[in-house]
Amino acid sequence: MDDKEFSQDIDINNGSNVCILLFHGLSATPYELKVWANRIAELKVDVQVPLLPYHGVDSTLLCSVDSADEYYDWGRDYIETLKKKYQTIIGLGISLGAGTFFDYLVNKGGKLDAAIMLGTGGFAARELGLLT
């Protein structure tokens, strides 16, 4: 298996006007969501699982981030780009990915057709509980 397989975006195009967007967690990559992406794609929707910034290279680069806002702003821009292409966007985020969707929806006034946010603990999980 090529190391690059772990750090590549997953882009499954079924020619749909619906996109399911998955954001992985901190220190993860799209590879961890590959099985989910393939199963969701069986619904004949498009699926995007991008590699979050600073991920998939090494831990030194990952730890060089000054603030989570770097991820959140990148996520906002990524979502806004997809909104120009798709009629419906459903987001599914895990940990940092959930925080990215949370920031987009709550702090930046963004809108999605649906969002599923999974958090495992700490401050982010408390915020998700408040949102629920």
Side-chain angles (χ1 to χ4, degrees), residues 79-102:
I79 294 166
E80 290 299 321
T81 298
L82 287 182
K83 288 177 92 172
K84 295 173 185 170
K85 180 178 178 182
Y86 292 100
Q87 179 181 337
T88 302
I89 298 177
I90 297 171
L92 189 157
I94 298 172
S95 189
L96 175 63
T100 303
F101 282 120
F102 183 89

Side-chain angles (χ1 to χ4, degrees), residues 18 39 58-60 64-65 71 77 79 84 92 95 131:
V18 175
R39 293 300 301 265
D58 64 41
S59 59
T60 302
S64 72
V65 177
Y71 300 114
D77 295 343
I79 294 166
K84 295 173 185 170
L92 189 157
S95 189
L131 179 65

Side-chain angles (χ1 to χ4, degrees), residues 10-87:
I10 296 173
D11 180 5
I12 302 172
N13 188 338
N14 285 314
S16 177
N17 63 1
V18 175
C19 180
I20 310 299
L21 173 60
L22 288 79
F23 283 158
H24 61 78
L26 183 65
S27 78
T29 68
Y31 186 82
E32 279 82 10
L33 298 174
K34 186 176 184 173
V35 172
W36 288 14
N38 288 331
R39 293 300 301 265
I40 292 168
E42 291 175 8
L43 299 171
K44 302 300 179 203
V45 296
D46 290 2
V47 181
Q48 297 275 327
V49 190
L51 180 68
L52 297 180
Y54 305 101
H55 286 72
V57 179
D58 64 41
S59 59
T60 302
L61 180 61
L62 184 61
C63 293
S64 72
V65 177
D66 291 328
S67 162
D69 287 328
E70 293 187 48
Y71 300 114
Y72 299 162
D73 292 343
W74 176 89
R76 177 203 57 223
D77 295 343
Y78 195 94
I79 294 166
E80 290 299 321
T81 298
L82 287 182
K83 288 177 92 172
K84 295 173 185 170
K85 180 178 178 182
Y86 292 100
Q87 179 181 337

Side-chain angles (χ1 to χ4, degrees), residues 84-126:
K84 295 173 185 170
K85 180 178 178 182
Y86 292 100
Q87 179 181 337
T88 302
I89 298 177
I90 297 171
L92 189 157
I94 298 172
S95 189
L96 175 63
T100 303
F101 282 120
F102 183 89
D103 183 75
Y104 176 73
L105 296 168
V106 175
N107 298 329
K108 294 189 170 59
K111 301 211 182 307
L112 291 171
D113 295 287
I116 300 167
M117 296 173 274
L118 307 171
T120 56
F123 182 71
R126 286 192 298 275

